[in-house]
Structures are given as structure tokens and as C-alpha cells.
Amino acid sequence: MAMNRRSALKWGLSACSSAWACGQAPQALALTSPGKSTQEVLQALVNDPQRPVTGVAIRLRVAQKTLISAQAGWAHLGAAHPRDSAPLVADSLFRIASISKVAVALIQARLHEAGKLNWDADLSGLLNHPKFEKVPITPRLLLTHRSGLRDSDTWPQFHAQGLADVLKLTATWSEHPPGAKFAYCNLGFVVLATAMERACGERFDAIAKRWLFDPLRMKARFHPSGLDAHSKAHLATLYRMRQGQWVAQVDAREGPWTTVPDIEPGLNAAAFSPQGGLRIGMEDLMSLGQCLWDRGRWDGQSFISEATMQEMFRPQWQWSPLSDEDTDDGLFRSWGLGLQRFTDQRDAKGGDRLHRLGGWQAVGHLGLAYGLYSGMLVQPRREGHPGWSLAYAISGTSVPESQARGQHSSFTVWEETLLGTMLDRLIDEGIART
């Protein structure tokens, strides 16, 4: 069975013993009432008696001006909570899940411009669809989830043949030829990172550092072992609630740091989790957003050409009501090159509407894994409009998504609350909807 953003990491909840864990949730949270400060909204999410979260952080900018920078809750829960717990702070980092794919897309954009790996390069030396061997699979198809690959129950093991072994499996491939259908696929980004290694002759972590992290002065890394000491000390643990207790899912402070296996570059980049393993803080996340907002410019200089950025923003796939393609319960409506396009749609399937009143569109990406929900959304600047960028991270959630559905979209109620809080601020600032 193919997996998408929502189903890839199942909750697997058994019968619950806690009202927090499985009490019947009310239809809506009264968290966006007039008069509440941003900090009060965040703290209400943490303290909610029905659907609490462990921690939450948000950022909002108009052009280069920060309007909101706030966090609440906990980065780590100690055994004698709250006495020995660590709060979320401005420097906290998160395993940010599928927003990692934006970083991969920006790296690919730079490699494309450098002549190292074209958007439309034939990757047949690495993989072919077994039923359509003459149809090339390209970085463009991988970035837009149209390669014919699909996620199965088997993930590449962290050894030299791990990726090749999975690519041989029938379950890894759809019945459609490359380019024919959209099907959200994490495995495609492991393939793309491996193709980058072949093109550059070095490991993916070194590629990311050279082509993205160092130029943007980011501390983020695709593997926790590469973080500096300060960043490791501020890495948030991700949680889910089980039987009324918070249970660490990843980056628990008690656990040892793993190391990256010694694999020849170009064989298997799965150990770096390019599909979702980026550890990044909110300020670095906003740096990625600023690169999108400024159409490829960074710190006054061209980082990626505006023409290349426009190609990334351009719709490469759009959902049709007549289509049977994967929409993740109505959330996926359009895709650029490695970027989800939020099109302000709402219908019986749900939709990608960002605000209860409608009228807001953006590019960016969402993340969901190990109890975390995250988002980075951007409206790039244009003539007559300053543009904006926002980001959020929820570090631990207490109920499955089916018990936290939003009211006007396919987002969760937690995400609708955060997006509503930030977009309401834009309305207050007189920023025109887009």
C-alpha cells in the first residue's frame, strides 16, 4: 500500500486510558478569540485538556521584518517534569520532517545551475521503472512526485546495497509510467540525494554543507552527528502520547548519537534521511523561507537565479476533480519543483485553505513525523506586494490526526490555529491577501 505524508508513520494507538489520549474532542478549539496574545494562543495549545502538545514555535515575517517570534512548552520532558524538563527556546532545533525536501530542492537548483545535475537529467544509471525501462526518470519527476516510485513497507537499509535492494522490489513501483501520475513519495528524495552524490563525487551531507548550509550561514544538518555542540544541546525531543503518557519518538536526550555508515558516495544516501531528517532551528528555517521570498537572492546577492526560482514556483502538477491521484485527504492540490503550492481550495475533500476567510496562497512545504507537525509557507515578493514568510513546528502531539481535524481545510486544528494566528496578524498589518 502506498504511503503519503499522513500515513507513512502510523500512530498505532491501542485502547486509551486517558482523556488526553482518546477523549472525545470538541469540534473546535477556541484559541483565536480576539484579545488573546500570540503567547497566550501558544500556551493554550500546550495546556489544552483534550489535545495538548508538548511544545510549539512560530515565526512570521513581512519582507525582512519579523512580526512574530514566539515559542511555548517543552523541548524535553524529564522524569520529574517539570522540575528537570527543558523548555523550548529560540535556539531549539527540530527534526523538521518533510520540510527537509525544500532544502533538497534548493540544493538541486544550485547543482542544475552549476551544470552538475540538470532538472531533466536521465537517471537511468541509478534506476529505471521495471515496466517502462525506456521512459527516463529525472530529478524533475522526483521533485514533483511523478517518477512512478511509491513508498512501500520496506525502507532502504543503511548499507551500500540498501537502496538498490529496495528499487528491485515490485512494491516500490506503481503501475503507471514515469510522468503519468502524482503520488507523494519519500523514497524519491533518497534517490535524488544519491544521484547528487554521483554527480558531485562526495557524500550528501558534504554536498548540503557546501551548496546550501555554509552559503546561508546555517547550523542545520541532515544528520544529528553533524551538529555543533550548541545545536545538539538544543535539539528538541519529539513525542507522541501513549496511554496518557508522553513517549519520546526521536532525538531523546538519553540515547546515544548514531554515526553515519561508511558508504561509497552514489550508492545509498538513505542514512541522511533527505526526505525528512533535517535538524533545523526556526531562524534557519526562516532563512530557507527568505531565499524563496526574495526569489533566489540571499543577503543582497544572487544565490539562485530568479529564472530558476520561477521554474520552482511554476505549477508542475495540479489536481483535477476527475483525477484519482493522491491528495492526502484533500491537502495536496498543486506542486512545483520540490515545493507544495497552496491554492486556497476548499471542498468536500477538505483542501489546502490557509485561513478560515480564504484568499491566501503560498509556496512551501509541510512536515509530519514522530508526533511533529511543521510548516514553512512563503508568498514571494513581487511588484506592489511585500510578500511574507512563516514557519511553525509542533514538537509532540497527543492524539491521532483523526481526532484533531481542522474546520476549514485538511490541516489539523493545531495547524489551523497557528496559521490563523499568523495570517490574522498580516490582516491587522494591512497586508493584502494573495
Side-chain angles (χ1 to χ4, degrees):
M1 180 180 68
M3 295 187 293
N4 59 27
R5 186 184 86 104
R6 304 288 186 180
S7 63
L9 291 166
K10 296 182 183 295
W11 275 76
L13 287 171
S14 58
C16 300
S17 61
S18 165
W20 276 9
C22 69
Q24 184 61 42
Q27 288 299 304
L29 290 178
L31 296 175
T32 56
S33 58
K36 281 195 173 182
S37 70
T38 298
Q39 197 64 44
E40 288 172 331
V41 170
L42 301 189
Q43 199 62 52
L45 284 172
V46 174
N47 295 337
D48 178 50
Q50 293 288 342
R51 293 171 289 200
V53 303
T54 53
V56 57
I58 62 174
R59 300 290 187 273
L60 173 66
R61 289 179 185 167
V62 169
Q64 294 178 305
K65 178 184 177 182
T66 298
L67 297 184
I68 296 177
S69 177
Q71 51 277 326
W74 307 95
H76 178 75
L77 301 174
H81 176 73
R83 189 174 66 251
D84 59 346
S85 297
L88 274 184
V89 294
D91 288 348
S92 294
L93 284 80
F94 307 86
R95 185 192 185 278
I96 208 64
S98 285
I99 298 177
S100 306
K101 295 179 175 71
V102 176
V104 175
L106 291 173
I107 295 166
Q108 170 58 38
R110 298 208 71 205
L111 295 181
H112 167 79
E113 292 194 334
K116 290 184 174 292
L117 187 60
N118 189 277
W119 297 124
D120 300 304
D122 185 346
L123 302 180
S124 57
L126 181 60
L127 81 167
N128 285 106
H129 196 305
K131 293 183 179 179
F132 306 98
E133 294 184 356
K134 293 184 179 181
V135 181
I137 296 174
T138 65
R140 184 185 301 273
L141 294 181
L142 294 170
L143 287 165
T144 56
H145 303 281
R146 297 180 298 131
S147 66
L149 284 168
R150 61 184 181 184
D151 292 322
S152 71
D153 292 335
T154 304
W155 191 252
Q157 297 296 305
F158 298 164
H159 57 73
Q161 293 302 309
L163 177 58
D165 289 345
V166 170
L167 293 176
K168 294 175 183 176
L169 300 177
T170 301
T172 299
W173 299 95
S174 76
E175 64 273 23
H176 304 291
K181 293 268 188 178
F182 176 93
Y184 190 91
C185 181
N186 290 295
L187 182 64
F189 281 73
V190 176
V191 172
L192 182 55
T194 304
M196 291 177 179
E197 290 187 342
R198 289 193 174 193
C200 297
E202 57 184 342
R203 291 189 342 182
F204 178 68
D205 58 342
I207 295 170
K209 188 173 184 295
R210 180 190 306 274
W211 292 91
L212 184 65
F213 299 151
D214 282 356
L216 300 190
R217 300 189 293 276
M218 295 170 61
K219 296 181 178 180
R221 295 293 184 267
F222 269 100
H223 194 277
S225 64
L227 295 171
D228 62 30
H230 179 86
S231 297
K232 285 181 180 178
H234 288 83
L235 184 58
T237 303
L238 304 185
Y239 292 91
R240 289 187 176 119
M241 186 172 278
R242 306 293 195 193
Q243 302 292 336
Q245 300 295 320
W246 289 112
V247 179
Q249 304 293 298
V250 70
D251 293 338
R253 297 192 176 188
E254 296 83 1
W257 295 107
T258 60
T259 58
V260 180
D262 186 16
I263 299 174
E264 179 184 342
L267 295 177
N268 180 13
F272 299 107
S273 298
Q275 80 288 347
L278 181 65
R279 271 68 171 187
I280 188 169
M282 296 300 288
E283 291 308 309
D284 276 358
L285 198 55
M286 293 301 285
S287 293
L288 293 181
Q290 285 292 106
C291 188
L292 300 181
W293 166 80
D294 209 10
R295 298 180 177 273
R297 295 182 67 80
W298 172 256
D299 201 19
Q301 303 295 318
S302 177
F303 181 64
I304 299 170
S305 73
E306 187 164 349
T308 294
M309 294 303 300
Q310 193 59 39
E311 182 66 6
M312 293 182 71
F313 298 154
R314 182 177 68 84
Q316 311 277 327
W317 167 81
Q318 296 193 88
W319 176 76
S320 164
L322 302 178
S323 168
D324 62 353
E325 292 169 299
D326 171 29
T327 67
D328 195 6
D329 294 328
L331 186 59
F332 298 159
R333 300 304 175 102
S334 183
W335 228 264
L337 285 174
L339 300 172
Q340 183 174 353
R341 302 177 71 254
F342 298 88
T343 59
D344 191 36
Q345 295 188 48
R346 179 185 181 187
D347 53 33
K349 292 181 177 292
D352 62 357
R353 179 159 289 178
L354 302 178
H355 190 274
R356 61 192 179 279
L357 300 179
W360 299 91
Q361 298 186 17
V363 295
H365 217 290
L366 306 174
L368 164 62
Y370 301 112
L372 171 133
Y373 286 80
S374 61
M376 182 192 70
L377 286 72
V378 177
Q379 178 55 241
R381 60 167 178 79
R382 64 182 189 275
E383 186 175 354
H385 195 287
W388 49 265
S389 53
L390 66 80
Y392 63 85
I394 303 169
S395 60
T397 44
S398 53
V399 299
E401 189 172 19
S402 62
Q403 296 179 32
R405 295 192 184 282
Q407 300 301 301
H408 56 77
S409 70
S410 297
F411 289 96
T412 64
V413 67
W414 303 303
E415 293 170 292
E416 284 191 352
T417 297
L418 298 178
L419 290 168
T421 297
M422 289 185 277
L423 294 178
D424 281 346
R425 179 63 184 273
L426 294 184
I427 293 172
D428 291 344
E429 294 286 328
I431 304 300
R433 299 183 197 181
T434 51

